[in-house]
């Protein structure tokens, strides 16, 4: 078979290893079934926990009786909220100022506020026994009226999810003003509404915890599938009142994260307490059903958009009013993701002078919503790109031209939006041009005209995107209420035998840090790449770090590795110069051997390593060892960007959308490993295409989540055509920008714009994701009925 | 519940144990025999993370009871490599970066072995159809499709 595989063309300077498409160092264990995930870990005297969960989305707990369950075979004990009275609610880690915080209770006390909320936990010798005993738990619920939808929850007189609050508003977040003034004299004013639907993140490995308290040492080892081991340690220690230095979080191999595995959950706290009470290790692995109702969801915004534009497509002003469904409680980042991460990014890559945004976070009887791949920025990209697409269609202009008309110009960079967000670097016109060329855009437009005459519906959809990656600066995180550091740690150690250990506070859950970070370190140190081992995910081992989210691992974590490795390299050269009695400038290291450029003295890295770690023959002022630690704290973030094009054909009879081609051109700055970067783009695109065409975690009026969310399968995905442009970021030593979230930002608007482009002549103006055949047919029918009425 | 005796071969190793009649094959592999390559992503037959080869045929091991598989030969991802040399599919998955978190990978590899046994020279469409029972949330499948296409001629050559 002939697959259209094009090696990426990179217009960037590459190092010996940096920039090379190298297969991963860490693959072998995964390929041979030897990955080690939390559920693979079984400890001596292992106990198993099973949570009893509410079948109702809103109810009062009238009574709860665990006595029968406690006497069931194999059961060690069972607990309800009353048994864990010392525990408070789970505190969010990001609280936007002014938010009314209602954290998740570890176990429901008197009220159930979403389906799947845990009311009790049973601990038994085996999981089967714990599950069996759950049938002997007697809970009487008094079901209450369910509010699952944010618009319903905001209706006047709506029941309150938290009766001690005045209404169901969790946060109000206004940004900017002046729409009406700026819209004066516009040639076009349009108002429309869109929904960015709720999604289930669905990592293939569900959450898993194994909590192991040792009462002889007073240490608690907490195995957890997590993206932020150090932050989890801090949050957990604070929640249970445990000395942080005695709490060890180990996050071994993690089977996908996508956001939800960076949060702090009720089950974490409960297991940490149970292992201390029972003095035995307690393990819990989420079932897929629990993953769907107890692990955080993503998106779920209803947005009203007003746009004012000139007849040439220049946008004068934008007004956004969104209701964000945050679920029953504020999860870790639940107040910030739908507000800060949306409102500040709604201008995309466009120089739009006036923007007015109001985002209201709304409590409902649904699973809490939090960061999911892109975390607010996909919502922002969807808003602005749907708006640009709408303006183009309304004015009869080409969608590419309207984008060019509005782009921030090259000579405006670096640029600051009125919302405060910075764009550091890019070539927006060139990136778009490359995408148009790759997609044969002109030819497609010609084909579209002919097809229309034949009654076939073709559509081209464009989307650009940007966001800020590489969080970030403590000075910015403090004022927005984000209680975590923006730095990342790296320790680089050259051993006496010349082999290298890199410890990193970032944590791969599939991204491949063991390879990319080794590439970065190898270029600095001049040692063979295979001699470098990158270790992560153990708070006893790794210097205090932050973790992996916000496409930050390379730009922040990788920069820390580069800086630490460079310092070690400098020391190696100084020591080598001393040992070879040469000038510092004349020392080079190649493949583990030091040479002097002038003379013919040589020194092996092993000789150097031994000297450094014994101190013998080493001047005192050089100190002992070859080891450096860097806590890299960025001064600014980067703004990756890209241009995506979807070419679709809509079947007017069946409503099916065929994605004929999908093109993504990405400017993620300097690419460390194009093979892995492509993997990140494809994975993000799969989730973005999934959102556009298939996925929906719609919660019904009774508050029931969808039992089997349609996650894309191999035969539901198109071939993705991916290429790069490279504008190095000036904001970090690597020039990297971030790539993990790109696809999830670009694909939804590109595909929906394509569908609307195809259906516009039929009078279709509104279409919400996912673009199921039923929905497309309904939109066509509604448009036809509207035309007939008119 | 009375335990029942089962005996089978896993990755070339003959094993015998007693299991509860209700125990799933995937649980037996993981918990009784310590073979943790097959993963549990759903336990309801939807994700394929638990896929193993039962007498050469790809099966979802969460959809079978352990007691159903007496005297069969089971191959998991751990049994694909021979004498430390990766199977051509494993090698192609590595070279094409067809895995990220690796959680779906052992099951995906077993499904791909079966696919290529049935269809030695598959088209892209046939590869996609053949792997539709195995969810991957990380890769978007494209590198997996490339890897299977790359491995096909190598496997035909080796007569696997
Ligand atoms: S665990 Fe068997 S198919 Fe998902
Ligand atoms: S590699 Fe993560 S699910 Fe496939």
């Amino acid at each position: 078979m002939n697959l259209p595989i094009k090696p990426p063309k990179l217009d960037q300077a590459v190092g010996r290893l940096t920039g090379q498409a190298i297969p991963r160092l860490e693959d072998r264990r995964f390929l041979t079934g030897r990955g080690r995930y939390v559920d693979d870990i079984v400890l001596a005297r292992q106990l198993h926990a099973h949570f009893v969960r509410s079948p109702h989305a809103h109810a009062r707990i009238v009574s709860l009786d665990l006595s029968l369950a406690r006497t069931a075979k194999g059961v060690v004990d069972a607990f309800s909220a009353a048994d864990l009275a010392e525990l408070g609610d789970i505190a969010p880690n990001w609280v936007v100022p002014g938010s009314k915080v209602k954290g998740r209770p570890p176990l429901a006390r008197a009220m159930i506020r979403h389906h799947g909320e845990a009311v009790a936990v049973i601990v038994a010798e085996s999981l089967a026994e714990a599950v069996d005993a759950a049938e002997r738990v007697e809970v009487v619920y008094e079901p209450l009226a369910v509010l699952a939808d944010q618009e319903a929850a905001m209706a006047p007189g709506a029941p309150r999810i938290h009766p001690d609050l005045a209404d169901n508003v969790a946060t109000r977040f206004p940004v900017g003003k002046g729409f009406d003034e700026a819209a004066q004299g516009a040639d076009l004013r349009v108002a429309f509404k869109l929904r960015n639907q709720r999604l289930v993140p669905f990592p293939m490995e569900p959450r898993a915890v194994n909590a192991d308290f040792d009462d002889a040492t007073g240490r608690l080892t907490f195995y957890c599938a997590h993206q932020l081991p150090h932050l989890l340690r801090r949050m957990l220690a604070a929640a249970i009142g445990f000395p942080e230095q005695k709490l060890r979080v180990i996050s071994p191999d993690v089977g996908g994260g996508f956001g939800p595995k960076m949060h702090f959950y009720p089950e974490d706290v409960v297991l940490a307490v149970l292992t201390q009470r029972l003095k035995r290790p307690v393990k819990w692995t989420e079932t897929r059903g629990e993953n769907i109702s107890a692990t955080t969801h993503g998106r779920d915004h209803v947005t009203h958009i007003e746009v004012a534009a000139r007849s040439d497509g220049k946008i004068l002003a934008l007004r956004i009013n969104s209701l964000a469904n945050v679920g029953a409680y504020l999860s870790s980042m639940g107040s910030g993701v739908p507000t800060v991460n949306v409102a500040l990014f709604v201008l995309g890559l466009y120089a739009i002078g006036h923007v007015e945004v109001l985002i209201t976070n709304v409590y409902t009887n649904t699973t809490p919503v939090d960061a999911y791949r892109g975390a607010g920025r996909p919502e922002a990209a969807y808003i602005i790109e749907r708006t640009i697409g709408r303006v183009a269609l309304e004015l009869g202009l080409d969608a590419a031209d309207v984008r060019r008309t509005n782009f921030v110009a090259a000579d405006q960079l670096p640029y600051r939006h009125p919302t405060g967000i910075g764009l550091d670097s890019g070539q927006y016109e060139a990136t778009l041009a490359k995408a148009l060329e790759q997609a044969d855009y002109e030819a497609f437009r010609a084909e579209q005209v002919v097809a229309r005459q034949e009654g076939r519906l073709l559509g081209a959809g464009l989307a650009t995107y940007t966001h800020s990656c590489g969080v970030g600066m403590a000075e910015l995180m403090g004022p927005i209420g984000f209680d975590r550091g923006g730095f990342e740690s790296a320790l680089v150690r050259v051993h006496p035998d010349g082999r290298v250990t890199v410890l990193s506070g970032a944590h791969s859950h599939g991204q491949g840090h063991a390879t990319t970070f080794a590439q970065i370190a190898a270029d600095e140190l001049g040692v063979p790449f295979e001699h470098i081992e990158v270790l992560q995910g153990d708070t006893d081992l790794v210097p205090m770090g932050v973790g992996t989210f916000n496409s930050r691992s390379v730009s922040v974590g990788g920069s820390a590795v580069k800086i630490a490795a460079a310092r070690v390299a400098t020391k190696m050269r100084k020591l080598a110069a001393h040992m070879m009695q040469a000038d510092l400038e004349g020392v080079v290291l190649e493949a583990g051997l030091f040479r002097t450029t002038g003379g013919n003295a040589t020194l092996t890295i092993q000789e150097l390593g031994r000297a450094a770690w014994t101190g013998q023959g080493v001047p005192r002022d050089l100190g002992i060892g070859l080891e450096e630690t860097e806590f890299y704290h960025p001064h600014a973030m980067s703004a990756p960007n890209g241009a995506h094009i979807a070419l679709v054909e809509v079947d007017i009879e069946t409503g099916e959308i065929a994605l004929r081609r999908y093109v993504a051109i990405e400017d993620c700055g300097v690419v460390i490993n194009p093979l892995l970067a492509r993997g990140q783009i494809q994975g993000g695109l799969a989730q973005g295409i999934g959102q556009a065409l298939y996925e929906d975690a719609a919660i019904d009026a009774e508050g029931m989540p969808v039992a089997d969310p349609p996650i894309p399968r191999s035969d539901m995905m198109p071939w993705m055509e991916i290429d790069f442009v490279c504008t190095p970021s000036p904001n970090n030593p690597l020039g990297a920008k971030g790539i993990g979230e790109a696809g999830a930002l670009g694909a939804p608007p590109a595909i929906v714009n394509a569908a609307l482009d195809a259906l516009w002549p039929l009078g279709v103006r509104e279409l919400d994701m996912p673009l199921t055949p039923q929905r497309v047919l309904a939109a066509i029918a509604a448009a036809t009925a509207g035309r007939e009425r008119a | 519940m009375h335990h029942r005796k089962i005996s089978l071969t896993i990755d070339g190793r003959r094993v015998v144990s007693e299991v509860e009649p209700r125990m799933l094959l995937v649980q037996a592999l993981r918990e009784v025999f310590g073979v943790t390559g097959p993963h549990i992503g759903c336990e309801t037959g939807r994700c394929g993370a638990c896929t193993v080869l039962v007498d050469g045929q790809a099966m979802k091991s969460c959809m079978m009871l352990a007691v159903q598989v007496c005297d069969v030969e089971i191959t998991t991802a751990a049994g694909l490599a021979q004498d430390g040399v990766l199977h051509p599919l494993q090698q192609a998955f590595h070279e094409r970066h067809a895995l990220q978190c690796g959680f779906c990978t052992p099951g995906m590899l077993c499904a791909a072995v079966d696919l290529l046994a049935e269809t030695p020279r598959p088209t892209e469409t046939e590869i996609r159809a053949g792997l539709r029972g195995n969810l991957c949330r990380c890769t978007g499948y494209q590198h997996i499709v490339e890897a299977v296409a790359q491995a096909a001629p190598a496997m035909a050559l080796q007569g696997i």
Side-chain angles (χ1 to χ4, degrees):
Chain A
M1 108 191 221
N2 221 355
L3 292 171
I5 300 162
K6 275 210 310 186
K9 297 184 293 289
L10 287 175
D11 45 354
Q12 67 173 48
V14 295
R16 196 166 57 85
L17 290 156
T18 302
Q20 309 293 343
I22 302 171
R24 299 197 311 182
L25 286 170
E26 58 267 62
D27 278 351
R28 194 176 178 94
R29 66 179 187 274
F30 300 116
L31 291 166
T32 53
R34 299 291 298 278
R36 189 165 182 261
Y37 304 88
V38 171
D39 192 57
D40 300 335
I41 296 168
V42 182
L43 301 170
R45 306 168 67 238
Q46 184 75 63
L47 291 173
H48 299 265
H50 173 72
F51 286 86
V52 179
R53 297 182 184 275
S54 167
H56 304 284
H58 198 194
R60 204 182 314 280
I61 303 174
V62 178
S63 65
L64 172 63
D65 186 354
L66 296 175
S67 53
L68 271 179
R70 285 198 176 104
T71 59
K73 178 171 169 292
V75 169
V76 174
D77 207 347
F79 305 83
S80 69
D83 304 309
L84 303 175
E86 75 270 27
L87 292 175
D89 292 341
I90 309 290
N93 182 248
W94 186 357
V95 179
V96 170
S99 297
K100 294 174 198 146
V101 176
K102 292 290 175 186
R104 301 175 81 161
L107 292 173
R109 298 189 189 94
M111 292 291 294
I112 298 296
R113 294 190 176 85
H114 69 85
H115 177 271
E117 201 170 344
V119 296
V121 58
I122 298 168
V123 183
E125 297 290 343
S126 76
L127 180 58
E129 287 165 329
V131 173
D132 286 347
E135 280 169 28
R136 297 159 63 118
V137 173
E138 289 172 16
V139 197
V140 179
Y141 298 98
E142 178 194 337
L144 302 170
V146 171
L147 277 176
D149 177 86
Q150 60 266 54
E151 290 179 290
M154 286 297 285
R160 283 163 297 163
I161 310 294
H162 299 279
D164 57 330
L165 299 182
D167 52 28
N168 291 320
V169 172
T171 315
R172 288 177 79 82
F173 193 76
V175 176
K177 54 184 187 315
F179 175 85
D180 287 318
E181 298 76 5
Q184 298 278 334
D187 302 312
L188 173 74
R189 276 187 72 157
V190 200
F192 62 107
K193 177 182 173 184
L194 51 81
R195 178 181 273 273
N196 201 302
Q197 83 272 31
R198 178 180 285 246
L199 300 173
V200 175
F202 211 95
M204 291 317 302
E205 179 207 28
R207 284 188 293 134
V209 174
N210 198 344
D212 182 18
F213 178 66
D214 178 345
D215 63 334
T217 59
R219 302 202 100 227
L220 170 54
T221 306
F222 196 79
Y223 301 88
C224 182
H226 210 269
Q227 300 172 222
L228 318 171
H230 282 94
L231 192 70
L232 174 61
R233 178 173 67 171
R234 167 152 80 91
M235 296 188 290
L236 186 56
I240 62 172
F242 201 87
E244 198 173 319
Q245 92 283 12
K246 286 186 174 284
L247 176 52
R248 176 184 191 183
V249 171
I250 297 179
S251 187
D253 289 328
V254 179
F258 315 122
K261 283 187 190 155
M262 76 170 128
H263 309 317
F264 184 36
Y265 285 93
E267 295 87 354
D268 298 336
V269 171
V270 170
L271 261 77
V273 168
L274 295 187
T275 184
Q276 292 178 76
R277 294 254 186 112
L278 302 171
K279 302 193 170 43
R280 289 176 63 180
V282 185
K283 177 171 170 176
W284 168 74
T285 300
E286 196 177 52
T287 64
R288 184 55 66 187
E290 290 180 299
N291 181 256
I292 288 166
S293 65
T295 291
T296 53
H297 293 172
R299 321 277 191 258
D300 206 346
H301 284 236
V302 174
T303 304
H304 292 268
I305 299 172
E306 286 174 82
V307 57
R310 285 195 323 233
S311 59
D312 65 352
K314 175 73 186 164
I315 294 177
L316 303 175
L318 191 62
R319 179 151 59 200
I320 313 291
N321 191 336
S322 267
L323 293 180
N325 190 339
V326 293
Y329 305 99
L330 281 183
S331 172
S332 293
M333 298 162 64
S335 67
V337 165
T339 55
V340 173
N341 280 12
V342 178
L344 306 190
F345 294 92
V346 292
L347 297 178
L349 292 174
Y350 308 107
I352 297 171
H354 298 273
V355 62
E356 206 175 300
V357 188
L358 174 63
I359 296 177
T360 308
N361 288 344
V362 185
Y363 285 120
T364 61
N365 291 122
T366 63
T367 300
V369 176
D370 206 324
Y372 164 56
R373 204 163 195 158
R377 285 89 41 94
E379 292 89 318
Y382 191 64
I383 288 169
I384 184 63
E385 293 300 323
R386 282 285 311 270
T387 301
I388 299 262
R390 181 69 181 250
V391 166
L393 287 168
E394 292 279 354
L395 293 172
L397 299 172
D398 188 276
D401 288 336
V402 176
R403 285 180 172 78
R404 289 190 195 102
T405 303
N406 286 287
F407 273 149
V408 169
D411 61 5
Q412 288 177 288
L413 290 170
Y415 178 83
R416 191 160 295 282
H417 278 305
T419 59
I421 286 301
L423 301 178
D424 60 337
S425 62
Q427 318 164 41
Y428 309 141
E429 293 232 10
T431 307
L432 178 60
K434 191 165 181 171
L436 294 169
E437 190 193 324
Q438 171 72 27
D440 304 314
Y441 183 72
E442 294 302 328
F444 184 82
R445 285 291 182 205
E447 186 190 349
Q448 184 182 33
V449 173
V450 177
R452 265 186 198 151
Q453 286 157 4
E454 298 166 354
R456 287 191 302 126
L457 300 173
L458 301 189
L462 276 58
T464 69
Y465 76 87
T466 189
H467 58 140
S468 295
C469 290
V471 65
M473 298 76 77
E475 302 78 3
L476 285 191
M477 295 169 82
I480 59 171
F482 204 176
D483 181 20
R484 64 177 76 160
F487 69 94
E488 196 52 270
S489 66
L491 180 149
V492 174
R493 175 186 303 139
V494 176
H495 294 254
D497 67 353
R499 303 294 175 122
V500 180
T501 297
V502 174
L503 305 178
S504 161
H507 189 31
S508 175
H509 39 288
Q511 293 84 348
H513 301 165
T515 305
T516 44
F517 289 5
Q519 289 177 263
I520 293 167
D523 273 352
E524 294 300 323
L525 295 169
V527 302
F529 163 69
E530 306 75 27
H531 291 183
I532 300 177
E533 183 172 40
V534 178
L535 299 174
Q536 304 180 315
D538 181 344
T539 58
D540 268 8
L541 180 70
V542 177
M544 191 78 80
V546 177
T548 288
F549 65 107
N550 179 246
S551 305
R552 72 192 294 275
S553 291
V554 167
S555 64
V556 188
S559 291
V561 171
K562 182 180 169 78
I563 293 167
R567 281 208 297 267
V568 176
T570 301
K571 182 165 182 191
M572 290 202 303
R573 290 180 56 240
K574 275 189 193 158
L575 183 53
H578 171 81
M579 292 173 72
M580 295 191 291
Q581 298 178 333
D583 287 343
L584 185 59
E585 292 70 42
V587 174
V588 287
L589 173 60
E590 274 166 14
L593 198 66
F594 290 90
R595 296 174 194 285
T596 53
T597 44
N600 47 12
T602 59
L603 178 73
T604 66
I605 195 166
Q606 290 80 12
E607 289 167 321
L608 182 102
R610 184 191 162 276
W613 288 106
T614 59
Q616 294 170 13
V618 178
R620 283 239 160 206
D621 63 343
L622 275 183
I624 291 292
L626 296 171
E627 177 168 316
E628 293 286 341
T629 301
E630 167 69 9
F631 297 97
Y632 175 67
H633 186 191
H635 290 285
M637 293 166 71
S638 66
N641 58 86
H644 291 206
I645 299 180
L647 304 180
V648 305
E649 176 157 4
V650 183
D651 186 322
I652 195 167
E653 302 296 330
T654 64
E656 275 170 52
I657 294 185
L659 191 46
R660 293 201 347 190
R661 289 183 67 186
Y662 197 95
V663 170
I665 309 296
E666 307 290 356
D667 182 353
C668 52
V670 171
V671 177
I672 309 303
N673 185 326
L675 182 63
L676 274 58
R678 273 211 306 268
Q680 287 298 307
I681 296 164
Q682 290 166 1
L685 282 174
Q687 292 177 355
I689 293 169
Q691 171 166 22
L693 294 179
Y694 310 113
E695 295 183 41
D696 194 352
I699 291 184
D700 71 13
E702 266 68 65
M704 297 297 288
V706 30
D708 190 4
I711 303 302
R713 295 182 178 277
S714 45
D715 58 351
M716 295 155 78
M717 289 297 300
W719 190 263
M720 298 168 267
E721 302 169 53
I722 292 165
D723 212 336
F724 298 89
V725 299
C726 173
T727 324
S729 172
N731 291 343
N732 61 71
L734 291 167
K737 289 182 179 170
I739 195 60
E741 296 160 296
L745 273 73
I751 292 170
V752 178
N753 281 341
L756 282 167
D757 184 55
L759 295 168
W760 189 262
L762 302 185
V764 173
R765 298 292 175 267
E766 315 275 324
L767 201 51
D768 276 329
M769 301 182 289
L771 305 181
T772 57
Q774 300 84 323
R775 210 170 258 178
V776 172
L777 287 180
I780 294 173
T784 310
R787 273 213 314 278
E788 279 162 7
R789 265 200 311 277
Chain B
M1 260 171 286
H2 296 297
H3 283 55
R4 297 243 304 263
K5 186 172 160 186
I6 58 168
S7 65
L8 61 160
T9 306
I10 305 173
D11 297 328
R13 180 169 61 102
R14 185 115 192 107
V15 295
V16 180
S17 187
E18 307 234 312
V19 299
E20 272 191 51
R22 65 172 172 175
M23 182 174 254
L24 303 175
L25 174 58
V26 67
Q27 292 170 326
L29 290 171
R30 293 177 56 80
E31 294 160 24
V32 180
F33 302 116
V35 178
T36 55
H39 297 133
I40 298 174
C42 70
E43 244 180 36
T44 52
R46 293 195 301 234
C47 77
C50 62
T51 306
V52 298
L53 295 166
V54 180
D55 288 336
Q57 281 225 312
M59 304 275 225
K60 291 176 173 171
S61 61
C62 74
M63 299 303 284
M64 306 174 78
L65 295 171
V67 293
Q68 285 177 294
V69 296
C70 224
D71 294 324
V72 300
E73 231 172 273
I74 290 189
T75 308
T76 73
L80 293 178
Q82 294 294 325
D83 304 323
V85 178
L86 292 181
H87 182 280
L89 267 165
Q90 291 172 317
Q91 185 63 29
F93 267 56
H94 170 60
E95 288 171 12
R96 290 286 182 174
H97 185 40
L99 63 155
Q100 290 181 27
C101 78
F103 197 79
C104 71
T105 309
M108 194 69 81
L109 284 166
C110 291
V113 168
D114 192 356
L115 162 68
L116 289 183
E118 305 264 318
T119 318
R121 283 307 188 96
T123 62
E124 181 192 340
T125 309
E126 285 169 332
I127 296 174
R128 289 185 184 275
L131 298 179
R132 85 172 310 281
N134 290 67
L135 285 175
C136 174
R137 192 59 158 162
C138 295
T139 64
Y141 304 103
Q142 190 151 314
H143 284 170
I144 295 176
V145 172
E146 287 182 16
V148 174
Q150 175 176 315
M155 283 173 64
L157 223 67
Q158 293 183 18
I160 300 178

